Amino acid sequence: KVKKTGVFACKRNVHSSLFRKYYDRGDLPLSVSFHGANRKISWKVDIEMLDYHHYLPIFFDGLRETEEPYRFLADEGANDLLDKGGSKILPVLPQLIIPIKQALNTKIPSVVCRTLLKLQRLVLASDMIAESLVPYYRQILPVFNLLKNKRLNCGDQIDYGQRNNNNIADLIQETLELFEKFGGEDAYINIKYMIPTYESCMF
């Protein structure tokens, strides 16, 4: 009997993130607030005043968290930072690659889905981010190639039920198409190099 390689297996022992460390120490300027049955993030400072070089990588590192409240705070906090970051995001991009790669490499469906959605938000957050991401495809696309045909449900409670595409394969396809559309003239050839079965959405 041929042994399984385990290449698709989720990592069982995911090391605690920097986000968890900073949150437990009280070094992050946010908390969970409840409005009825709904959870929201309560920021203790104006987001525009935050040092993105310091905070954005920490929140992206928290994307691999699966325990509460870390998962919720890292996910929603990263959304807020991306939505309000504008031109402050691009200079921090190189610092986000390792946290993104680590989150994808867990192969935990809910973590992969959250990370894919964050990549989509990232490339739409500001001009030039998608183009600047192209040199990093070799680090982040191998897991895309591995999971792009896996019809795995995201297995999370983060409103994925409201989406038509709640599986990893669809989110990977969506993300690759955004990379191609906004990544400039070199995006497609570099995606194709890493994912030979990818077909252009532009032609």
Side-chain angles (χ1 to χ4, degrees):
K1 186 177 179 180
V2 179
K3 288 185 178 181
K4 292 183 178 180
T5 63
V7 68
F8 295 108
C10 302
K11 286 188 177 179
R12 293 182 179 177
N13 298 316
V14 178
H15 294 298
S16 293
S17 66
L18 272 178
F19 180 88
R20 181 187 292 235
K21 177 182 175 183
Y22 276 80
Y23 182 76
D24 286 346
R25 285 198 323 213
D27 290 341
L28 295 178
L30 81 172
S31 61
V32 178
S33 64
F34 287 88
H35 298 267
N38 297 319
R39 288 184 300 175
K40 290 187 177 180
I41 281 185
S42 177
W43 289 93
K44 301 173 185 176
V45 296
D46 187 349
I47 293 176
E48 281 84 358
M49 302 299 292
L50 291 174
D51 177 359
Y52 268 61
H53 278 280
H54 177 67
Y55 284 107
L56 193 57
I58 291 172
F59 277 83
F60 266 71
D61 195 61
L63 293 177
R64 54 195 167 93
E65 287 288 351
T66 57
E67 295 181 18
E68 301 294 355
Y70 313 107
R71 180 203 64 75
F72 173 77
L73 287 167
D75 186 49
E76 294 297 318
N79 286 343
D80 286 351
L81 289 169
L82 290 175
D83 290 347
K84 298 181 180 179
S87 62
K88 291 191 283 189
I89 298 171
L90 181 59
V92 190
L93 184 63
Q95 294 172 253
L96 304 181
I97 302 305
I98 289 177
I100 288 169
K101 181 180 177 181
Q102 288 177 329
L104 292 171
N105 283 343
T106 66
K107 303 188 189 81
I108 298 170
S110 60
V111 172
V112 173
C113 285
R114 273 201 303 278
T115 306
L116 291 168
L117 289 170
K118 220 57 71 206
L119 280 165
Q120 293 182 15
R121 210 173 194 120
L122 179 66
V123 299
L124 296 173
S126 180
D127 293 339
M128 298 301 298
I129 290 178
E131 288 187 47
S132 300
L133 202 57
V134 174
Y136 300 107
Y137 284 176
R138 287 176 183 242
Q139 295 185 57
I140 62 176
L141 292 191
V143 173
F144 282 46
N145 193 42
L146 185 67
L147 300 177
K148 66 182 173 55
N149 294 319
K150 301 290 281 185
R151 310 300 292 187
L152 293 173
N153 191 283
C154 288
D156 211 338
Q157 310 303 318
I158 319 174
D159 297 328
Y160 290 125
Q162 298 175 15
R163 300 174 60 89
N164 292 324
N165 46 353
N166 64 343
N167 66 74
I168 290 177
D170 287 343
L171 283 172
I172 286 175
Q173 183 65 26
E174 265 187 20
T175 307
L176 290 172
E177 288 178 3
L178 283 175
F179 284 2
E180 183 185 358
K181 286 177 183 176
F182 297 99
E185 60 183 19
D186 294 328
Y188 173 69
I189 191 170
N190 281 278
I191 293 171
K192 189 74 172 174
Y193 179 78
M194 297 301 299
I195 305 176
T197 57
Y198 178 74
E199 297 298 333
S200 175
C201 64
M202 305 285 284
F203 305 122

